[in-house]
């Protein structure tokens, strides 16, 4: 058996309810051909877990453990080839299903792992059995908790920054709500690319932190004239 975290169904309307967390014992998953068993060493949270607990997220499940993001170590494999490739390796898990490679968007019905119908596991469980195709090697320069935080927000920010915005060195970019998980990844990607990064936040402290991470300027969206303040900060040579 293994421990897992679910939400418990209680009465209440979407947006007004806040489902409690429930720790349960579930059978330890067994692997099928093509799969490996990952012992989860760290899991990360996204705002979606709050939305799920408020019943403000599509397709929520009371039977599926929560958590889209996780990292761990491969402890069992289903073939000698997979054993050679993965056994004992530190890995991150892919957070979605139904979206393979198209830049346009999901090719099929897209589901994010954890707390939802359509995928039977989450990362807030001790062991996950998944196809080898749903793993990536964890970056060796990161700790396991750092690696666990990357997949969902990192992919979302990557797509927004590069696939959609096609950001290049020397361009100006505005990242709104810099205190957010996705925004913080977008900031780091944009700075690494050599863009000039402007941010908004409802908190001066978060703007100061963003500047430490490489943002050029920030304005507080709680001030009515924030867009004018921002315009005044743009470089005169490339507004
Ligand atoms: N997390 C994911 O992997 C993921 C995946 C797909 C889509 N998304 C979507 O991406 C968005 C951000 O998700 P997240 O997980 O990063 O959420 P989050 O961590 O909760 O961040 C949301 C941020 O939005 C900012 N904000 C709130 N009110 C604002 C306002 N009036 N004007 C400007 N900014 C405001 C806040 O920034 P300050 O704290 O700086 O004030 C807050 O930190 C959401 O729409 C989410 O549904 C997220």
């Amino acid at each position: 058996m293994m421990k897992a975290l679910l939400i418990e169904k209680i009465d209440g309307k979407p947006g007004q309810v806040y489902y409690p967390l429930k720790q349960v014992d579930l059978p330890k998953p067994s692997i099928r051909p093509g799969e490996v068993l990952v012992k989860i060493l760290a899991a990360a949270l996204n705002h979606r877990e709050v939305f799920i607990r408020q019943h403000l997220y599509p397709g929520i499940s009371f039977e599926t453990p929560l958590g889209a993001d996780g990292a761990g170590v491969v402890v069992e494999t289903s073939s000698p080839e997979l054993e050679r490739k993965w056994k004992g390796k530190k890995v991150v898990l892919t957070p979605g299903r139904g979206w393979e490679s198209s830049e346009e968007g999901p090719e099929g019905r897209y589901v994010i792992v954890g707390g939802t119908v359509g995928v039977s596991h989450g990362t807030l469980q001790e062991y996950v059995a998944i196809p080898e195709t749903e793993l990536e090697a964890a970056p060796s320069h990161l700790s396991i908790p750092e690696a666990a935080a990357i997949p969902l927000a990192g992919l979302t920010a990557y797509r927004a920054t590069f696939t959609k915005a096609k950001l290049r060195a020397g361009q100006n970019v505005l990242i709104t709500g810099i205190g957010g998980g996705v925004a913080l990844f977008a900031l780091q990607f944009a700075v690494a690319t050599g863009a000039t990064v402007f941010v908004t936040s409802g908190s001066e402290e978060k703007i100061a932190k963003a500047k430490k991470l490489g943002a050029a300027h920030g304005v507080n969206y709680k001030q009515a004239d924030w867009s004018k303040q921002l315009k005044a900060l743009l470089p005169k040579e490339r507004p």
Side-chain angles (χ1 to χ4, degrees):
M1 298 297 277
M2 64 164 187
K3 302 212 178 301
L5 273 183
L6 306 173
I7 43 171
E8 185 178 344
K9 188 155 179 44
I10 57 167
D11 288 340
K13 293 193 173 135
Q16 291 165 11
V17 72
Y18 196 64
Y19 297 124
L21 295 176
K22 183 168 72 169
Q23 184 180 301
V24 294
D25 289 315
L26 296 177
K28 188 173 164 185
S30 15
I31 48 175
R32 291 176 296 193
E35 290 189 338
V36 302
L37 188 71
V38 178
K39 180 174 168 52
I40 300 288
L41 299 175
L45 301 174
N46 289 277
H47 202 134
R48 75 186 279 278
E49 276 76 45
V50 177
F51 291 138
I52 287 172
R53 291 183 68 182
Q54 295 172 310
H55 210 139
L56 292 176
Y57 199 85
I60 74 168
S61 161
F62 297 93
E63 280 83 47
T64 309
L66 294 165
D69 281 331
V73 60
V74 175
V75 290
E76 264 178 51
T77 53
S78 53
S79 70
E81 190 200 338
L82 291 180
E83 177 165 353
R84 272 194 303 278
K85 195 168 166 193
W86 291 114
K87 186 87 183 276
K89 295 264 169 70
K90 304 266 174 64
V91 293
V92 291
L93 312 188
T94 58
R97 298 290 182 273
W99 191 353
E100 296 306 320
S101 58
S102 170
E103 290 200 347
E104 298 301 313
E107 298 89 357
R109 181 170 164 258
Y110 182 61
V111 185
I112 294 174
V113 172
T116 37
V117 293
V119 187
S120 59
H121 71 267
T123 54
L124 299 184
Q125 62 186 59
E126 288 182 288
Y127 293 89
V128 175
I130 47 170
E132 184 226 0
T133 47
E134 305 296 353
L135 292 178
E136 293 291 339
S140 57
H141 66 290
L142 297 182
S143 68
I144 283 290
E146 286 169 342
I150 289 180
L152 188 54
L155 278 172
T156 304
Y158 184 93
R159 179 170 165 77
T161 309
F162 299 117
T163 312
K164 300 296 260 190
K166 303 192 190 310
L167 188 68
R168 298 186 314 274
Q171 292 185 316
N172 299 320
V173 61
L174 170 64
I175 304 175
T176 56
I178 201 61
V182 175
L184 276 169
F185 275 109
L187 169 61
Q188 293 169 83
F189 293 154
V191 168
T193 299
T196 305
V197 184
F198 297 82
V199 302
T200 67
S201 178
S203 145
E204 299 299 333
E205 205 184 327
K206 291 179 187 177
I207 292 173
K209 182 82 196 288
K211 285 185 182 164
K212 278 198 182 134
L213 289 170
H217 297 285
V219 294
N220 191 323
Y221 60 69
K222 288 185 178 158
Q223 292 170 3
D225 66 340
W226 69 266
S227 59
K228 278 195 190 134
Q229 290 180 32
L230 187 66
K231 212 169 166 191
L233 290 167
L234 287 171
K236 299 288 169 276
E237 67 281 10
R238 47 185 176 93

